[in-house]
Amino acid sequence: MLVDIRNLSIAFPSATGPSLAVREVSLSLGAEKLGIVGESGSGKSLTARSLLRLLPDNATVTADRLEFAGIDVLGASERVLRGIRGKRAGLILQDPKFSLNPVMTAGAQIAEAFRAHRRAGRREAKAAAIDLLAQVQIRDPARVAGAYPHELSGGMGQRVMIAMMLAPDPELLIADEPTSALDATVQAEILRLMEDLVSRRGMALMLISHDLPLVSHFCDRVAVMYAGRIVETLAAGELARAEHPYTRGLLECLPTLTHDQARLPVMARDPAWLA
Amino acid sequence: MSRLRTFAAAASSVPITLFGLVLVTFLIGRVMPIDPIIAIVGDHAQNDVVEAARLQLGLDRPLAVQFWLYVKLLMQGDLGRSVMTSNPVTRDIAQYFPATIELATVAILIAVAIGIPLGVLAAVRRGSWVDHGVRVFCLAGHSIPIFLLALIGLLVFYATLGWTPGTGRSDVGLEGMVPDVTGFLTIDALLARDWESLRDACAHLVLPAGVLAYFSMAYIARMTRAFMLDALSGEFVITARAKGLSAARVIWRHAFPNIAVRLVTVLALTYAGLLEGAVVTETVFGWPGLGQYLTISLLNADMNAVLGATLVIGLSYLLLNLLADAAYRLLDPRVR
């Protein structure tokens, strides 16, 4: 089991006492593609980032078990964590405009990731960076390697981000809304690229998104989060058999070409879901 | 190529700004309700003596003509003669300004060397006792009047402990021992391989530079902390940490270069402020710098000296601004 989470809770201090952003989440992941869907603030990003202990300083994390490849992440030292971050688990963030360092060239950022976890000279790392850029299907990798993030389009930036996170050859890739900031056509390209790389390298994938059809199309299993809880976990093909009213509500809100509806229904939220 | 062109555009604004500065300072000097003639000839001079002096200085002519004559001489590098020292103002400035530059440069170096690491440390350990400690330390630097700090410094380190020499740039016995090449005592002593004079010049610098540095350091540290807090909250910092980089690398290689541009602005302005002549510090330490020269000239209504010194200060502001502008282009690829 690559990822094993039991009863994970994440709380933040607030004026009225600690406020729970993630409540008793349990989840496990092998060499598969798991999708986590949910609306903004449902705790999906926090759950994923807690695996790398990359949470804001004021977050309090408690869990019966929070393990990555058998390593207890909660009790791990910073040194052990650095052996997981990047090296064994990569994290792709939403918008390359903000997630890439604006004053470093794309090539330098990838080479840095490459050198962080193995002994390699500058020249070797630079060659590896260009090779990785070619692997994420950038046509002119040498030019892009010398470009700064503001000189790249969103899709290119996200390819650079993927190349950077693949550099140390990790076992798990966490993609936190990797396509939300991109145009629809570019979204499909990036997803196809990720799918291709993940299956070719035999990596596990945790894909976080608020796009239910996209995730179900792309992943093996889907976990639906609402208000800090996983309300339902389904095999991707069985989405139609969803039982939780929140999941059903989400599915009903989707416009389709075949079923003619004058108005899309608005979800009626039941306060009982919060309990 | 375009980088050069934008820089040239920035540089071309310097003469225009400088002209404005000359005009304004000149007019203020002439409009002021003090009569520079009386400063020269004294209160009890006969009327014909006053008139003769007025004619000699060209003060009887229309303001526009006076200004034109001043600018014409200025173009030839002539700032006129100081009434007080009866030397050409350029020679006076060449003598006083290096003392100020020397003091300001040492002060800013100390301030940067301490202020930036302190600010970064405070930002990284936000809310901890380190952060609070730095805040109190900086608050003191900001709020203790500089003359008081200077006097306490002299009392403690000179009068009581005897660790530093007293006021002035050098010991009386060593004055004029090294040939005047650059005007900077430390460099001149170094050129002359006169180690005793070098040691003495450095010893005299420590206390006034330290007092000035403490004041500037407080500002630099505070700004560095604010900039770093902003940079550390960036998404790219999460990316850097997710790559498995060490904390030091995340801070110094990723967050810090992102604040460099804003920091350069702060440093340039702080340095310019120090060059303006720390009048109070120079007075307390008997430091023969530009601030002291300007103050004494002003009190004596020595208008040529005041104008000249003001222009030099204005010019250093402009040049530092230009330098900061050039630094932006080096440090931030987005400005190129």
Side-chain angles (χ1 to χ4, degrees):
Chain A
M1 198 57 52
L2 199 53
V3 174
D4 196 359
I5 300 175
R6 290 277 169 272
N7 288 328
L8 170 74
S9 294
I10 302 174
F12 289 93
S14 74
T16 54
S19 144
L20 279 170
V22 172
R23 303 155 188 253
E24 292 158 13
V25 162
S26 296
L27 127 95
S28 60
L29 178 70
E32 59 181 329
K33 290 181 278 187
L34 171 74
I36 302 180
V37 284
E39 55 200 39
S40 302
S42 59
K44 52 195 193 307
S45 289
L46 288 175
T47 304
R49 286 183 191 191
S50 69
L51 258 183
L52 300 175
R53 281 253 304 269
L54 286 178
L55 297 172
D57 289 337
N58 56 352
T60 325
V61 187
T62 51
D64 293 345
R65 195 182 297 162
L66 182 61
E67 285 184 2
F68 175 84
I71 302 167
D72 172 26
V73 173
L74 265 190
S77 66
E78 187 66 19
R79 198 188 163 81
V80 172
L81 285 174
R82 277 175 53 200
I84 299 175
R85 290 178 192 151
K87 186 176 168 64
R88 302 187 66 182
L91 173 67
I92 292 172
L93 298 170
Q94 183 170 345
D95 193 341
K97 239 198 322 284
F98 303 115
S99 53
L100 292 173
N101 188 338
V103 301
M104 263 172 105
T105 62
Q109 296 189 50
I110 299 171
E112 186 187 40
F114 184 81
R115 285 184 76 182
H117 300 289
R118 63 182 100 194
R119 284 166 190 278
R122 266 167 213 286
R123 197 171 301 168
E124 191 189 339
K126 199 180 164 195
I130 293 178
D131 181 51
L132 280 156
L133 283 171
Q135 283 184 48
V136 292
Q137 291 159 25
I138 281 178
R139 243 170 264 130
D140 191 355
R143 188 188 64 80
V144 172
Y148 287 93
H150 73 280
E151 297 168 324
L152 302 172
S153 68
M156 290 260 249
Q158 206 55 306
R159 281 167 203 267
V160 169
M161 188 81 187
I162 293 171
M164 185 158 74
M165 288 308 169
L166 290 180
D169 224 349
E171 297 140 72
L172 169 68
L173 191 61
I174 301 169
D176 192 350
E177 309 232 15
T179 59
S180 305
L182 307 176
D183 293 339
T185 46
V186 185
Q187 278 187 9
E189 279 173 33
I190 294 291
L191 283 173
R192 225 171 300 143
L193 174 72
M194 270 177 36
E195 182 164 41
D196 184 49
L197 289 167
V198 165
S199 58
R200 199 174 330 145
R201 290 171 178 239
M203 289 160 63
L205 176 75
M206 193 182 275
L207 177 65
I208 297 159
S209 174
H210 54 249
D211 190 336
L212 189 53
L214 178 138
V215 165
S216 63
H217 176 77
F218 191 69
C219 296
D220 306 318
R221 269 191 315 141
V222 179
V224 182
M225 287 191 76
Y226 182 75
R229 288 211 167 86
I230 292 185
V231 293
E232 193 159 29
T233 308
L234 293 156
E238 295 173 344
L239 220 53
R241 272 190 255 158
E243 280 170 3
H244 195 277
Y246 176 66
T247 320
R248 296 223 58 87
L250 282 182
L251 290 168
E252 276 161 21
C253 293
L254 295 172
T256 59
L257 287 173
T258 45
H259 297 283
D260 190 27
Q261 279 175 306
R263 262 171 194 272
L264 288 172
V266 174
M267 190 189 309
R269 288 164 192 261
D270 187 346
W273 298 347
L274 293 171
Chain B
M1 205 43 225
S2 70
R3 212 193 297 183
L4 259 179
R5 204 171 307 143
T6 43
F7 185 69
S12 68
S13 68
V14 170
I16 302 170
T17 320
L18 209 55
F19 180 78
L21 182 68
V22 176
L23 185 65
V24 171
T25 357
F26 182 85
L27 287 181
I28 291 177
R30 290 298 188 270
V31 168
M32 265 195 331
I34 35 170
D35 194 343
I37 305 294
I38 294 179
I40 302 167
V41 296
D43 287 347
H44 306 295
Q46 302 291 323
N47 273 346
D48 54 330
V49 178
V50 173
E51 270 321 301
R54 195 183 298 279
L55 283 178
Q56 200 195 336
L57 287 173
L59 291 177
D60 57 323
R61 301 189 178 183
L63 212 51
V65 175
Q66 286 184 39
F67 182 65
W68 167 242
L69 289 174
Y70 185 81
V71 172
K72 213 165 80 176
L73 284 175
L74 180 65
M75 299 298 244
Q76 296 160 17
D78 186 351
L79 290 168
R81 220 168 247 281
S82 158
V83 178
M84 195 177 54
T85 64
S86 69
N87 288 328
V89 171
T90 40
R91 195 197 294 168
D92 279 349
I93 288 173
Q95 190 198 328
Y96 284 97
F97 200 30
T100 293
I101 296 180
E102 201 168 34
L103 184 61
T105 306
V106 174
I108 194 88
L109 288 179
I110 299 174
V112 165
I114 301 174
I116 290 180
L118 271 191
V120 170
L121 192 70
V124 172
R125 302 241 180 284
R126 181 187 195 174
S128 70
W129 65 268
V130 178
D131 187 16
H132 296 309
V134 170
R135 183 175 311 138
V136 171
F137 186 54
C138 290
L139 194 69
H142 249 297
S143 37
I144 298 177
I146 205 150
F147 73 88
L148 187 63
L149 204 63
L151 287 174
I152 292 174
L154 275 174
L155 183 68
V156 173
F157 294 107
Y158 168 58
T160 309
L161 295 171
W163 290 356
T164 63
T167 57
R169 277 181 95 187
S170 59
D171 274 345
V172 183
L174 291 167
E175 220 162 270
M177 291 299 279
V178 289
D180 188 1
V181 184
T182 59
F184 303 104
L185 268 187
T186 46
I187 296 176
D188 284 348
L190 208 61
L191 288 176
R193 297 176 188 280
D194 182 345
W195 308 127
E196 199 192 345
S197 290
L198 179 66
R199 210 192 55 78
D200 178 61
C202 290
H204 274 87
L205 265 171
V206 170
L207 202 51
V211 167
L212 277 180
Y214 186 31
F215 184 73
S216 314
M217 185 279 304
Y219 181 60
I220 292 172
R222 221 176 42 144
M223 296 312 273
T224 305
R225 177 182 180 274
F227 295 156
M228 271 308 268
L229 281 180
D230 183 41
L232 286 170
S233 69
E235 283 273 284
F236 64 87
V237 169
I238 303 225
T239 306
R241 291 179 66 202
K243 280 156 92 171
L245 304 177
S246 66
R249 201 170 164 87
V250 171
I251 293 162
W252 292 106
R253 182 81 180 86
H254 284 269
F256 189 71
N258 274 279
I259 74 163
V261 166
R262 283 180 284 172
L263 209 51
V264 161
T265 316
V266 168
L267 295 186
L269 284 178
T270 311
Y271 188 46
L274 289 175
L275 283 181
E276 189 179 321
V279 180
V280 177
T281 316
E282 286 181 359
T283 308
V284 174
F285 286 99
W287 195 264
L290 197 63
Q292 230 188 50
Y293 179 69
L294 184 58
T295 314
I296 295 172
S297 309
L298 204 55
L299 293 175
N300 288 297
D302 188 350
M303 286 334 286
N304 276 338
V306 171
L307 253 170
T310 311
L311 283 181
V312 168
I313 290 165
L315 192 64
S316 26
Y317 259 96
L318 285 173
L319 291 181
L320 279 169
N321 245 321
L322 204 61
L323 215 61
D325 206 46
Y328 296 166
R329 283 160 228 279
L330 280 179
L331 293 171
D332 194 334
R334 287 164 295 185
V335 190
R336 283 170 204 161

